[in-house]
Amino acid sequence: MEKGNSTHPVGAEAFNKDKKRVAWHDKALWFVREKRDKAAHQIPEWEQLRELAAQIKAHTLSQLDLYLEQFEKNALKNGIHIHWAKDAEEHNTIIADILENHQAKKVVKSKSMLTEECGLNPFLEQRNIEVIDTDLGERIVQLADEKPSHIVLPAIHKKKEEVGALFHQHLHTQKGASDPAYLTQEARKHLRTKFLNADAAITGVNFAVANTGGFVVCTNEGNVDMGANLAKVHIACMGIEKLVPSQEHLGVFLRLLARSATGQPITTYSSHFHRPKKGREIHIILVDNGRTNQLAKPDFKSSLNCIRCGACMNTCPVYRRSGGHSYNYSIPGPIGAILSPGKDLKKYSSLPFASTLCGSCTDVCPVKIDIHTQLYKWRQIIGKEGHLPKGKKTVMQLTGKVMGQSKTFSMMSAIGKKILGGPKVLAYNALNPWTEDRDLPSPNFTFKDWYKKNKNNE
Amino acid sequence: MSSKSSIIDAIRNIEKEEVHLPRIPYFEGLSYDSTAFFLDMLQRLGVEVIQGNSIEDIPYYLQEREFDSKKIFTQFSELPYRKTLKHGQLESIQLSILNGKVAVAENGAIWVTDERLSNRALTVIGEHLLIAISKRNLVWNMHEAYANISIHEHGYGMFISGPSKTADIEQSLVKGAHGSKSLIVFIYE
Ligand code: SF4
């Protein structure tokens, strides 16, 4: 969960104190975005796959009650224990109870945004349970007592020298060592002992299949398979939106996921769990925690399509220049900015404004969520409810810092022209704090032109 | 009311439009020569390829390497290596030899299952991994792959597409994160 109530402008301003780091962060993520582009362009049916993915998700969500019941029935037949949690607290309590039943004191956990959302680690630590994050990036931020700043690349904000210092302090690696290969090998040794001694493993779920009653988890490191296969108990936590009807649908999502996330054709491991090994247990926790509320909002329900690839973050000019921590929500970036207001409109009222509405997130999203439209709609709601971010001035200053050059403004207005029937609709909307005290140039070229001209400078 | 019924009821009470489930085409391959494409993909994934006639040839190819045959596990009953492990032996496995069922040319992934897998962690815990796959079981893409397997037939199954890796430290790709440090794909007739 999040620390404090800091708004995006405040967090972004803090991140922007170190200009060099901002440039470095920006470049690192843009590099990932470019890898995604190359991977996507190799697949002639890419657009068709995105459309199919969106349709499969929309269909599943339209009958989610039936699919959940079908999934439960089949998973139970497979010998998997099923639990339902309406909110974060229930999710955490169920896990604590399972662990207590097994007298489990040492837990290894692979990446799960849901457990971040629910604040599971501090909850378990308070009960004297050791929780070790085993994804290398997550382990780094855990040792640093921070939160992941990105959903796929949790430690993207950290320099290798910082990782070296952390490892020196906690894992007794050589002082001053910062070679990624060396540090990774040391982490491997350290985490192997954790895997071999763990009483239970907690994992996330990428996809759950209704008609087979099993689930799929994707990693590159292999930490899911080390953890879940070595410990006696495997607890898999999933939001109720992770379902797909049947195994043929996995083909569509597995072709999209890794290409969108890192530009790889597929993750190294795509692990399918259907039954526990004899003498072992698998538990699945089906979590609502605000998802049914989001599903009830026609304008925002497609945000539940998200497969957590991170592409919208990598492409977002604001995210790249403000860093994941500035969002102060378990899921940062454009998708976090449309999910979080559904959770707490007031607390996260600054997030939908952390965008240029350039639409790049929507363009790359493999499940075709109209992210920038939803950002705009949240702005309207936030305005109506009177939760406009207090520090509009700060937002303005930040805009200058984050966006730097006016070219992005031009881009925004061109997009505004395309989508909203004219830049002024967007620009002079009372809800847009960025236009408060400056006039926008009238765009005389289109976004495409701009993009062509500028993409090499990015 | 149980949490289950409150969640199910909440979903049921939402007015939802009917959306049809689309039919999923197989799509065409990216090249006419799937074997060449597959080999190329494996190379790009940092996978070593050995081509042989049959499973029985594997020991011949391994004799030159520095593996202690007592520390080799295999799913194949015809190979002269360990099929089961005693407590404490798992951590010192140098090589796991797995039975690939279906290989995907487009992304280099190979489907393996827990059939004759005495411990499921053997997919990742061995220092190195070898997957044997017959040329006959090569398909184009994930759609075709899923049409050829039944994911619930086995309690555990996975697509593996290379050595374990991470780029979590400054985006530098490092092989051997938690799972095998290298992958050899043995392709037989
Ligand atoms: S919203 Fe789309 S692009 Fe962003 S993480 Fe989710 S699936 Fe990926």
Side-chain angles (χ1 to χ4, degrees):
Chain A
M1 260 190 281
E2 308 69 45
K3 288 179 185 165
N5 278 313
S6 170
T7 61
H8 182 264
V10 174
E13 197 173 4
F15 187 76
N16 272 263
K17 285 207 176 97
D18 185 346
K19 290 268 179 293
K20 267 205 197 130
R21 184 179 286 260
V22 174
W24 166 79
H25 185 262
D26 181 14
K27 216 174 114 197
L29 286 155
W30 186 253
F31 178 64
V32 184
R33 152 80 210 253
E34 284 181 323
K35 285 200 288 188
R36 172 257 169 223
D37 288 352
K38 272 191 212 119
H41 294 158
Q42 271 160 14
I43 307 297
E45 60 268 23
W46 185 257
E47 287 309 313
Q48 206 181 335
L49 284 174
R50 291 176 70 216
E51 184 56 42
L52 286 168
Q55 285 174 17
I56 296 165
K57 284 285 182 184
H59 166 81
T60 315
L61 291 173
S62 77
Q63 301 185 13
L64 190 58
D65 47 342
L66 303 179
Y67 281 122
L68 280 167
E69 285 176 333
Q70 188 191 10
F71 176 71
E72 179 186 43
K73 200 178 91 208
N74 289 323
L76 289 172
K77 261 196 259 164
N78 291 338
I80 294 175
H81 300 264
I82 297 286
H83 310 263
W84 299 75
K86 52 186 182 316
D87 54 26
E89 200 192 326
E90 193 173 11
H91 163 267
N92 294 349
T93 312
I94 291 169
I95 294 179
D97 288 348
I98 299 171
L99 295 176
E100 201 185 302
N101 285 342
H102 289 273
Q103 293 173 345
K105 285 283 172 202
K106 291 181 187 151
V107 177
V108 285
K109 185 161 83 70
S110 65
K111 200 152 52 189
S112 150
M113 284 307 124
L114 178 60
T115 58
E116 282 292 329
E117 175 186 321
C118 294
L120 179 67
N121 285 18
F123 183 90
L124 293 180
E125 279 153 10
Q126 270 168 23
R127 284 157 185 76
N128 288 322
I129 293 168
E130 177 192 75
V131 190
I132 301 289
D133 284 324
T134 57
D135 173 86
L136 179 60
E138 284 208 322
R139 186 68 185 135
I140 293 168
V141 294
Q142 188 179 37
L143 290 174
D145 196 22
E146 290 176 10
K147 299 284 162 200
S149 70
H150 188 289
I151 59 176
V152 175
L153 318 159
I156 187 77
H157 61 291
K158 281 250 174 284
K159 300 238 181 190
K160 58 181 191 246
E161 292 76 17
E162 293 169 303
V163 177
L166 266 177
F167 279 19
H168 174 64
Q169 185 192 342
H170 295 275
L171 313 181
H172 312 295
T173 53
Q174 288 159 28
K175 198 174 163 80
S178 65
D179 173 43
Y182 165 72
L183 296 174
T184 302
Q185 283 319 302
E186 292 303 309
R188 174 187 171 101
K189 283 188 224 154
H190 155 69
L191 288 164
R192 278 224 158 190
T193 62
K194 297 293 180 189
F195 284 124
L196 288 162
N197 294 307
D199 304 314
I202 297 173
T203 72
V205 168
N206 287 90
F207 307 99
V209 185
N211 77 346
T212 65
F215 59 95
V216 181
V217 199
C218 306
T219 72
N220 279 324
E221 298 185 2
N223 52 328
V224 160
D225 302 274
M226 285 289 281
N229 293 334
L230 287 170
K232 253 183 72 196
V233 190
H234 172 187
I235 304 169
C237 309
M238 59 176 273
I240 51 174
E241 81 282 17
K242 295 284 175 202
L243 281 178
V244 298
S246 62
Q247 75 170 41
E248 66 170 324
H249 303 114
L250 294 173
V252 173
F253 292 104
L254 262 58
R255 287 184 84 195
L256 289 166
L257 177 60
R259 286 186 173 96
S260 300
T262 56
Q264 293 170 256
I266 189 168
T267 50
T268 303
Y269 304 102
S270 310
S271 312
H272 297 53
F273 294 91
H274 275 83
R275 281 179 295 281
K277 185 121 181 144
K278 222 171 142 223
R280 304 283 182 94
E281 283 179 19
I282 298 180
H283 294 257
I284 296 175
I285 318 208
L286 293 160
V287 187
D288 181 346
N289 203 32
R291 285 161 178 77
T292 49
N293 281 341
Q294 195 87 338
L295 188 62
K297 299 184 181 100
D299 283 347
F300 301 108
K301 68 174 182 209
S302 74
S303 61
L304 296 170
N305 289 7
C306 177
I307 57 172
R308 306 286 189 262
C309 72
C312 57
M313 291 159 212
N314 306 339
T315 203
C316 177
V318 175
Y319 173 90
R320 281 188 276 121
R321 289 162 198 155
S322 61
H325 289 150
S326 63
Y327 293 79
N328 204 24
Y329 182 64
S330 56
I331 298 178
I335 179 66
I338 59 174
L339 290 174
S340 55
K343 285 263 163 67
D344 186 337
L345 191 68
K346 198 165 165 222
K347 182 171 176 193
Y348 300 114
S349 61
S350 72
L351 297 193
F353 294 89
S355 168
T356 64
L357 299 185
C358 72
S360 183
C361 45
T362 304
D363 288 342
V364 296
C365 177
V367 286
K368 289 194 123 173
I369 304 172
D370 53 341
I371 307 172
H372 71 298
T373 315
Q374 294 189 28
L375 286 167
Y376 181 70
K377 286 179 178 159
W378 276 122
R379 290 183 184 185
Q380 291 177 302
I381 293 171
I382 288 162
K384 250 186 238 144
E385 309 261 317
H387 295 315
L388 274 181
K390 274 196 205 104
K392 273 197 200 175
K393 286 245 162 58
T394 325
V395 177
M396 268 314 290
Q397 285 162 4
L398 169 79
T399 309
K401 280 182 187 152
V402 171
M403 306 317 310
Q405 297 79 24
S406 62
K407 65 179 182 186
T408 316
F409 269 99
S410 320
M411 170 173 76
M412 178 179 91
S413 60
I415 279 285
K417 187 175 191 176
K418 207 166 119 195
I419 301 164
L420 301 163
K424 309 272 153 145
V425 178
L426 171 67
Y428 295 113
N429 187 306
L431 304 173
N432 189 337
W434 291 9
T435 58
E436 216 173 37
D437 46 30
R438 66 188 283 183
D439 203 357
L440 281 181
S442 275
N444 46 16
F445 53 90
T446 67
F447 172 70
K448 266 211 176 101
D449 297 335
W450 177 89
Y451 183 75
K452 263 194 208 131
K453 208 172 125 240
N454 287 281
K455 71 175 174 182
N456 296 328
N457 307 337
E458 268 292 350
Chain B
M1 189 157 63
S2 75
S3 294
K4 176 186 169 182
S5 20
S6 76
I7 293 170
I8 296 284
D9 284 357
I11 299 170
R12 225 154 254 172
N13 289 334
I14 299 168
E15 210 179 296
K16 296 183 283 312
E17 281 167 39
E18 198 184 316
V19 185
H20 287 290
L21 188 60
R23 201 183 63 78
I24 314 294
Y26 274 20
F27 296 103
E28 281 180 30
L30 304 181
S31 144
Y32 289 108
D33 187 346
S34 56
T35 311
F37 196 96
F38 179 57
L39 293 173
D40 187 49
M41 183 53 72
L42 291 180
Q43 200 199 355
R44 273 193 275 163
L45 292 166
V47 175
E48 181 187 344
V49 174
I50 301 176
Q51 305 212 37
N53 285 322
S54 75
I55 303 287
E56 278 90 354
D57 296 341
I58 292 176
Y60 167 79
Y61 289 101
L62 292 184
Q63 66 191 10
E64 302 277 281
R65 309 197 181 211
E66 283 171 12
F67 292 119
D68 174 352
S69 60
K70 290 194 293 298
K71 292 181 178 171
I72 300 181
F73 164 84
T74 185
Q75 282 181 305
F76 291 104
S77 53
E78 57 266 55
L79 290 181
Y81 306 115
R82 258 178 212 295
K83 319 288 180 315
T84 55
L85 299 177
K86 289 200 199 81
H87 187 73
Q89 289 178 332
L90 195 58
E91 302 98 281
S92 50
I93 287 296
Q94 293 177 343
L95 179 72
S96 255
I97 301 178
L98 303 183
N99 184 359
K101 302 284 188 177
V102 173
V104 186
E106 186 185 285
N107 57 24
I110 305 177
W111 177 249
V112 299
T113 71
D114 63 357
E115 190 184 358
R116 286 200 297 273
L117 191 65
S118 60
N119 186 308
R120 289 181 181 181
L122 284 161
T123 52
V124 280
I125 202 166
E127 197 83 349
H128 302 277
L129 181 65
L130 184 151
I131 307 178
I133 180 84
S134 162
K135 270 185 187 154
R136 283 166 291 147
N137 292 325
L138 183 63
V139 299
W140 248 112
N141 57 26
M142 295 306 286
H143 312 294
E144 226 185 306
Y146 278 114
N148 280 282
I149 61 175
S150 224
I151 55 170
H152 60 289
E153 194 183 314
H154 298 279
Y156 170 63
M158 71 202 296
F159 285 101
I160 301 182
S161 72
S164 149
K165 54 178 172 276
T166 182
D168 274 345
I169 303 177
E170 278 201 23
Q171 286 295 294
S172 308
L173 188 70
V174 181
K175 283 188 207 164
H178 298 300
S180 60
K181 292 179 176 170
S182 76
L183 171 65
I184 303 167
V185 171
F186 181 83
I187 303 178
Y188 60 99
E189 289 305 315

